[in-house]
Amino acid sequence: MTKYIFVTGGVTSSLGKGIIAASLAKLLQARGFRTTIQKFDPYINVDPGTLNPYEHGECYVTEDGAETDLDLGHYERYLNTHTSQANNVTTGRIYQYVINKEREGAYLGKTVQVIPHITDEIKRRMTLLGQNNQFDIVITELGGTVGDIESLPYVEAVRQLKWEMGDENALVVHLTLIPYLKAAKELKTKPTQHSVKLMSENGLNPDVLVCRTEEPLYKELKRKIALFCNVTQDAVIEALDADTIYGVPLEMMREKLDQICLQKLELPMGTEPDLSRWKEFLNKLRYPKSKVTIGLVGKYVELQDAYKSILEALIHAGAINECKVEVKNIHSEHLTPENAAEKLQNVDAMLVAPGFGSRGIEGKIDAIRYARENKLPFFGICLGMQMACVEFARNVLGVKNAHSTEMDPDTKDGVIAMMEEQKKITQMGGTMRLGAYECELRSGSKAADIYGSTNISERHRHRYEFNNAYMDAFEKAGMIPVGKNPKTGLVEIVELPEHPFYMGVQFHPEYKSTVENPHPLFVAFVKAAKEAQENRNGHGAHHKFEKSGVAEG
Ligand code: GLN
């Protein structure tokens, strides 16, 4: 029978529930248990696809094309397994389902209510992944903080599940904060006591407390927390601030979080966790031999979470290159042809981020021109690739008004244009080209060399595409469409073979990078940054891009 662990949060948001859930899952997986994680978010949006990154950080995309919370990215990066649509549920999705059923007449004249109809639907979805004996353990992270009005139906659903399944089959891990008051030189347990009390007023008692803290919890304090929060003493887990999120699984192992959960779930301890690959990664991450600076050009750079998967993919790629990757945020809105050189002169490579809409778009184009002309390693992702094509059309092919029809719907030179299948779409939610699609690589291309294969599959999230009417002109001028969808002919990758590293990809490679499988394109990109730095140290500046067969327009 599948066992369930519910991870709730108290006191404040941003305690890192996703990382704790993912770390626990990693340890259980390493002990041989088939483990998955899902996230339940209490907001009304049906999925976060319609949310601005300023609201909710990055929108993560799964293989099956679900637009999800960024915590699913952590789950995949830690577990090295795929999640799916079923792993992220929102209040909006629950209500939409229940209301549709009501319209069908499925409730046979009954009054449809939060309890039992909404809570029943939450329970059904919470146990969905546990069916068909796919997993030994399903971890469910509850978004939000206990005490929020919108979290109540979820707490109630967990209470009912625990009652139905029994404590040995359903466990609540509560993540809380033990603040350190500098003036009093004391760790304070009261906020945790209140948060546990709030939860027990709703009938739910935590079994394990994971306590975020800046200072170690001494024995007597742990005893006090256990006593007043009604958990066993060994179930008070210290979670000290970590130097990297990737250190947390080992910290949790040291604190025996996995063992206490298994014991309470009446499961055997399994095999001693083999985390040798994880430790090897961590070692390389902590003790790099070199350092590169990568310019991240985007319009949400002031918000760390907006480009989460890209930043993590750079960390994975840095570690494997034994190289610390320092990211220099470059706001695309502040870039101009005049200042691009100055803003980019000290970076070893440049990544132009995905995005939507016009804000900051000309700055991205200016930066790409600089990278192309100065042989600065360039990696353009989705909108970054599209703008690389616009830049090339304008400045090399001489098509002065070239643009994406997303930014300039009236342009006659839509080098990037809306995909045919997108034109009739009127609803914005969940209707982009989403999820994994195959891509065929031209043999002999840099991409094929990097992947070590000519058939790949990558995840997508876009409405616009390269306009194939420009394909020949691009190829003649040296920008080669080396990756295409074998069924539709959509261009997926463009390269400039004359450039040390110039790669534009229509898909999002960052979603597939994990600790144990860093993404090959990111690995190659960081390597190119290292080489560029070595060259620069030898020559004092980026090389000027000599003509090399490219017809300057
Ligand atoms: N806005 C562009 C499109 O819809 C790019 C999207 C992206 O960068 N994810 O095609």
Side-chain angles (χ1 to χ4, degrees), residues 112-125:
V112 181
Q113 294 180 299
V114 173
I115 299 170
H117 301 99
I118 295 297
T119 45
D120 278 354
E121 180 55 17
I122 294 175
K123 278 159 60 184
R124 187 183 72 83
R125 296 209 184 224

Side-chain angles (χ1 to χ4, degrees), residues 353-357 364 381-384 386 404 406-407 416-417 419 432 460-465 506 508 510-511:
F356 296 82
K364 286 189 171 170
I381 298 182
C382 208
L383 184 64
Q386 296 176 352
S404 162
E406 179 182 2
M407 323 304 162
I416 303 296
M419 283 181 274
M432 279 187 250
H460 295 70
R461 183 173 187 248
H462 62 116
R463 290 186 205 280
Y464 296 82
E465 57 158 324
Q506 182 58 80
H508 290 264
E510 69 275 22
Y511 294 144

Side-chain angles (χ1 to χ4, degrees), residues 54-118:
Y54 285 125
E55 294 280 318
H56 202 62
E58 165 191 278
C59 173
Y60 185 77
V61 179
T62 58
E63 284 289 295
D64 65 349
E67 295 177 285
T68 73
D69 185 80
L70 56 80
D71 274 338
L72 272 80
H74 290 310
Y75 307 163
E76 292 204 4
R77 288 187 279 273
Y78 278 56
L79 292 183
N80 205 25
T81 56
H82 291 158
T83 54
S84 71
Q85 183 75 64
N87 293 70
N88 193 193
V89 178
T90 68
T91 294
R93 193 172 291 279
I94 304 264
Y95 271 80
Q96 189 182 51
Y97 182 85
V98 171
I99 291 170
N100 285 344
K101 263 179 77 175
E102 185 276 333
R103 291 290 80 186
E104 284 164 18
Y107 295 107
L108 301 170
K110 287 268 182 234
T111 309
V112 181
Q113 294 180 299
V114 173
I115 299 170
H117 301 99
I118 295 297

